Amino acid sequence: MSSLFGLDQSSRLVFVSEVSRGLACQCRCVVCEEPLVVRQGLVREHHFAHASGREPCDVSHESLLHRYAKQVIQDAGGLTVPLDDQVVAVLGMTPALAPAARLPLPKVELEKSLGAVRPDLLGHTDLGVTVAIEVAYSSFCDMVKVDAFAGLGLPVLEIDLSAFTPEAFSPLAVRDAVLDAVSGKAWLWPKAAGLPAEQPSVQALAPEPLGDLPKARLPEEVVTISGRRVAIKQFQSGDIAVKVIGYDPDVVSLVKSIAKANFAHYSPKWKSWNVPRWRAHIVRTALRAKAETVSIHLQDRNRS
Ligand SMILES: [Zn+2]
């Protein structure tokens, strides 16, 4: 159920804060297309209501987010995406040194089936390459779906919009997250192994530039916090495992609080916190911020 979105006179999806009050907005319900009015109750913020006084129609916030993201990308004619060699090759772009660039998408389709998969959005680049875009809200794209995209040779970009609940929705912040931000975006396929692009502090400490790491090997990172070593191991999926080596109640409790705040699960068997890939970068950054030293080790290919 949402009473926060309506359709304006040009059938564009508008958030309630983007329109004026009363009937002046000429908005219609996204489901039944009945006229809407903007109300502000004593306890609720501004919201849409059917002008007829009828109960609000049912529509999921997630599907509205898909539609909103599509509109934002379509209006801008593309979006900024993170880049690496594999992505550049698949997209047919000119190799560049920049870790991110604008990807022109003159055409964007909503929830269109393609073989066995139905991406949230399907974009078509100016070079004629089709790109799937998954909007991560209540769930993130699982490996089965990623494999299906890979089987089709369809590059798939995931955009994390999980922060934008109905209460926290902000048209400007969503526009920024969809169009300009790089941090909440990841290519699920093709996917380069290794660390996320933005790590100036670690590059300075690493024995060799991270860009030279062989793609098939995953680096293991060891940060030292209060004299204790904390290992961060990345899996092929992008998930990471965080493990305190040795025992120090303060360090264990610090790692636990960072991990738990980021949807990690504890593995008693490995005595490590397993962090889902969409929070991996946040956890890594938080641990580094607490660390005295950071070092990167190459894992043996057989162990990763
Ligand atoms: Zn309605």
Side-chain angles (χ1 to χ4, degrees):
M1 205 272 326
S2 175
S3 45
L4 298 175
F5 291 88
L7 296 174
D8 71 6
Q9 281 176 296
S10 344
S11 292
R12 292 170 54 79
L13 198 57
V14 285
F15 189 67
V16 66
S17 66
E18 297 176 286
V19 300
S20 52
R21 292 185 67 175
L23 270 168
C25 75
Q26 304 283 328
C27 287
R28 289 168 295 119
C29 173
V30 294
V31 181
C32 71
E33 305 208 349
E34 263 189 27
L36 296 173
V37 288
V38 177
R39 295 231 166 93
Q40 184 175 27
L42 287 174
V43 284
R44 295 188 65 189
E45 294 293 306
H46 285 96
H47 61 276
F48 283 116
H50 288 127
S52 64
R54 214 161 52 77
E55 285 295 297
C57 291
D58 265 359
V59 55
S60 85
H61 183 64
E62 186 153 19
S63 82
L64 291 169
L65 268 184
H66 296 173
R67 287 173 69 171
Y68 202 87
K70 177 197 173 209
Q71 189 169 288
V72 162
I73 297 169
Q74 212 153 35
D75 287 353
L79 76 172
T80 300
V81 298
L83 288 179
D84 61 37
D85 294 349
Q86 295 183 52
V87 169
V88 163
V90 169
L91 297 178
M93 297 172 87
T94 314
L97 292 174
R102 193 82 169 172
L103 178 68
L105 290 176
K107 187 179 171 195
V108 187
E109 297 172 284
L110 183 72
E111 293 167 3
K112 190 177 181 207
S113 293
L114 205 72
V117 290
R118 198 169 76 131
D120 296 338
L121 304 177
L122 200 60
H124 303 274
T125 75
D126 54 343
L127 300 173
V129 179
T130 305
V131 176
I133 299 173
E134 289 285 294
V135 173
Y137 178 63
S138 62
S139 65
F140 284 71
C141 195
D142 62 41
M143 294 320 286
V144 175
K145 200 169 177 189
V146 173
D147 282 348
F149 284 121
L152 291 169
L154 182 65
V156 53
L157 177 77
E158 187 171 68
I159 306 179
D160 180 359
L161 296 185
S162 60
F164 300 109
T165 59
E167 298 74 31
F169 191 93
S170 144
L172 275 180
V174 171
R175 280 184 68 83
D176 180 66
V178 170
L179 294 184
D180 302 320
V182 178
S183 60
K185 295 173 185 162
W187 288 98
L188 304 181
W189 190 87
K191 187 176 182 64
L195 298 170
E198 340 148 12
Q199 6 224 330
S201 57
V202 173
Q203 280 192 349
L205 289 164
E208 55 182 320
L210 290 174
D212 292 347
L213 291 179
K215 288 267 186 272
R217 284 177 164 193
L218 299 174
E220 183 171 87
E221 179 171 343
V222 175
V223 299
T224 310
I225 301 172
S226 306
R228 288 282 168 205
R229 289 183 303 145
V230 179
I232 307 169
K233 180 178 169 174
Q234 186 180 316
F235 299 108
Q236 210 75 47
S237 64
D239 294 355
I240 56 170
V242 179
K243 180 178 176 147
V244 181
I245 300 166
Y247 184 74
D248 180 312
D250 291 340
V251 176
V252 166
S253 130
L254 172 74
V255 168
K256 181 181 176 180
S257 65
I258 292 173
K260 287 190 82 166
N262 288 286
F263 306 93
H265 296 286
Y266 189 69
S267 158
K269 185 181 173 191
W270 301 104
K271 295 190 169 53
S272 65
W273 287 95
N274 293 327
V275 184
R277 61 195 150 79
W278 50 283
R279 289 284 178 160
H281 186 55
I282 295 169
V283 168
R284 205 188 272 280
T285 308
L287 290 171
R288 279 179 192 159
K290 300 280 180 191
E292 295 110 50
T293 65
V294 177
S295 60
I296 306 279
H297 306 263
L298 286 181
Q299 288 174 32
D300 196 297
R301 191 178 296 215
N302 299 328
R303 286 200 297 133
S304 56

